[in-house]
Amino acid sequence: EWVLRQVCKQIKSWDQAGYRILPVAINVSVKQLEQLDFSKRVMEIVKEYGVKPTRIELEITESVSSGDIRTIVKNIRHLKEAGFKISMDDFGAGFSSLGQIDQFELDKLKIDKIFVDGLLNFPKKQSLVKSIIAMAKSLSLTVVAEGIETCEQLSYLQKFGCNLGQGYLLSKPVPAEEIKKFLGKCRNNIRAND
């Protein structure tokens, strides 16, 4: 809840400064999703700060399939109905049942870094990544590759049809003040090109 409050404060701050930002992702644990009132508390906090749920993406992991599925699915359904986006983080690193993926009403599938690490040297990893991307696209999910560190990895992933990526090649984790500077440069560039 503390993290959600901090994210809401930061989104409000960026909004007041006139920055347009993408949704901010927050990791959510199985234990949180198993709490009967979790979705209600999340919605109350977001409402308290006046932040639209569409500005927040909740990241779950494959471990949700080992939890209380009924309660987890109910919480996710309420959050989706309110406008939150749901991502499955670190996909492929756990032991999820593919049969349960549709229950979680995902918007995005994030391919775990373990697949990206050996992508250039192992044809089997290439086949797995291609398969994950094809499966995600057949389910109308956006695909994100995690842990991109080289231009060659990025090139392969783009060739396979991966929508988005994250990793040190694109940006290291940065504090909010650095993001604010980056957003300011983007805003200035947009104005200059208008």
Side-chain angles (χ1 to χ4, degrees):
E1 289 184 22
W2 180 86
V3 171
L4 179 58
R5 288 181 185 283
Q6 297 307 306
V7 166
C8 288
K9 286 178 189 176
Q10 189 60 64
I11 290 172
K12 283 300 275 187
S13 171
W14 285 329
D15 284 348
Q16 290 167 350
Y19 300 118
R20 293 180 294 180
I21 62 160
L22 298 171
V24 177
I26 300 172
N27 293 325
V28 179
S29 75
V30 174
K31 294 291 182 203
Q32 289 170 308
L33 285 166
E34 288 177 323
Q35 296 168 6
L36 295 174
D37 65 340
F38 177 71
S39 58
K40 181 182 174 192
R41 284 199 329 268
V42 168
M43 289 185 267
E44 286 171 353
I45 291 169
V46 170
K47 185 176 181 181
E48 175 186 333
Y49 287 92
V51 172
K52 293 180 182 176
T54 55
R55 305 289 296 283
I56 296 176
E57 184 175 296
L58 301 171
E59 293 188 352
I60 62 176
T61 62
E62 291 176 284
S63 60
V64 293
S65 59
S66 65
D68 175 3
I69 294 294
R70 175 176 271 149
T71 303
I72 290 169
V73 167
K74 186 177 179 181
N75 273 316
I76 290 174
R77 188 164 290 132
H78 288 150
L79 291 163
K80 286 283 294 179
E81 288 169 359
F84 291 90
K85 300 291 182 197
I86 307 293
S87 296
M88 181 162 288
D89 197 15
D90 304 328
F91 183 78
F95 300 100
S96 75
S97 164
L98 291 178
Q100 291 178 336
I101 281 188
D102 65 327
Q103 292 184 50
F104 301 126
E105 301 186 38
L106 301 174
D107 297 291
K108 194 179 283 182
L109 196 66
K110 298 178 81 173
I111 301 171
D112 191 84
K113 181 183 184 333
I114 61 168
F115 294 104
V116 176
D117 284 343
L119 190 60
L120 305 177
N121 303 317
F122 298 101
K124 285 187 178 181
K125 281 198 177 184
Q126 293 173 14
S127 295
L128 283 168
V129 169
K130 285 180 193 175
S131 297
I132 292 169
I133 291 169
M135 178 197 67
K137 288 189 176 239
S138 73
L139 297 170
S140 300
L141 302 177
T142 300
V143 184
V144 180
E146 299 178 316
I148 301 172
E149 296 179 356
T150 69
C151 291
E152 292 81 9
Q153 290 171 333
L154 179 61
S155 179
Y156 265 85
L157 291 160
Q158 288 173 323
K159 184 173 76 174
F160 297 160
C162 188
N163 303 95
L164 300 169
Q166 68 183 57
Y168 282 103
L169 176 68
L170 306 168
S171 175
K172 64 180 178 31
V174 294
E177 283 307 309
E178 277 191 50
I179 292 172
K180 191 173 178 180
K181 290 176 192 174
F182 173 76
L183 293 171
K185 287 179 188 176
C186 290
R187 186 170 56 186
N188 292 337
N189 288 340
I190 290 170
R191 286 184 186 147
N193 294 326
D194 282 345

